[in-house]
Amino acid sequence: MGKHILHIFILAILIPASVISAEWVLVGTVNQPGMQPSISAADRNIVWIVGGSSQAPKIFRSVNRGVDWSPVSTTGITYELYCVWGFNDQTCFVGEGEVNGGASLFRTNNGGTTWNVIFTTPPNRGYFNGLGFTKYNNNLFGLAIAERI
């Protein structure tokens, strides 16, 4: 299998008084994130990427707009990761994919040093392939999308 590289681009919107234009700028590169990496930008500086393959999950984090990337521990996570939602440089949710059941949704509150299981799908009942969060009236609402539940 070939070497996979994910190039990270930032869309820079330039708005002079008379012209509107957009330009993509290469800011950084992540080596071998997997065949289907997922990305989440927590804010203008903090970005998380997850992926991997089979039983080799991978997580990367940038704290400088994607210029530099650090691998993050996946201790306790078994399968390739299909989805990610980062809140800041310390708090992030990730969901396992590629399995027919027993996939876990994880959360870290310490930048990925440790991951805690939030939910696990029943046996033969799917995997996670999407995450979404919103805040309303100071309450946080989350949605984890799982195939075949």
Side-chain angles (χ1 to χ4, degrees):
M1 195 177 286
K3 186 176 183 180
H4 298 282
I5 298 175
L6 178 65
H7 296 290
I8 310 302
F9 292 88
I10 299 287
L11 178 61
I13 305 288
L14 309 171
I15 308 177
S18 61
V19 179
I20 296 177
S21 65
E23 179 181 331
W24 287 96
V25 179
L26 176 65
V27 293
T29 301
V30 173
N31 288 315
Q32 301 186 9
M35 295 293 288
Q36 302 178 74
S38 182
I39 189 167
S40 175
D43 61 31
R44 62 185 296 161
N45 294 308
I46 310 302
V47 186
W48 295 79
I49 292 177
V50 302
S53 61
S54 297
Q55 294 183 8
K58 291 191 176 184
I59 304 173
F60 302 91
R61 182 184 62 183
S62 174
V63 295
N64 61 2
R65 299 182 182 190
V67 175
D68 299 305
W69 291 91
S70 300
V72 175
S73 170
T74 58
T75 301
I77 301 173
T78 304
Y79 301 104
E80 177 178 356
L81 297 166
Y82 277 12
C83 53
V84 59
W85 193 282
F87 284 88
N88 53 47
D89 67 326
Q90 297 297 303
T91 304
C92 183
F93 289 78
V94 300
E96 290 179 319
E98 196 186 290
V99 293
N100 261 342
S104 293
L105 178 65
F106 297 88
R107 178 187 67 214
T108 184
N109 286 324
N110 55 18
T113 302
T114 58
W115 293 92
N116 300 304
V117 175
I118 301 302
F119 180 80
T120 300
T121 62
N124 301 315
R125 292 296 198 136
Y127 55 88
F128 294 96
N129 63 358
L131 292 171
F133 290 88
T134 188
K135 198 171 187 179
Y136 179 73
N137 284 341
N138 292 322
N139 295 305
L140 181 66
F141 297 93
L143 171 67
I145 302 165
E147 287 289 318
R148 291 179 262 180
I149 288 188

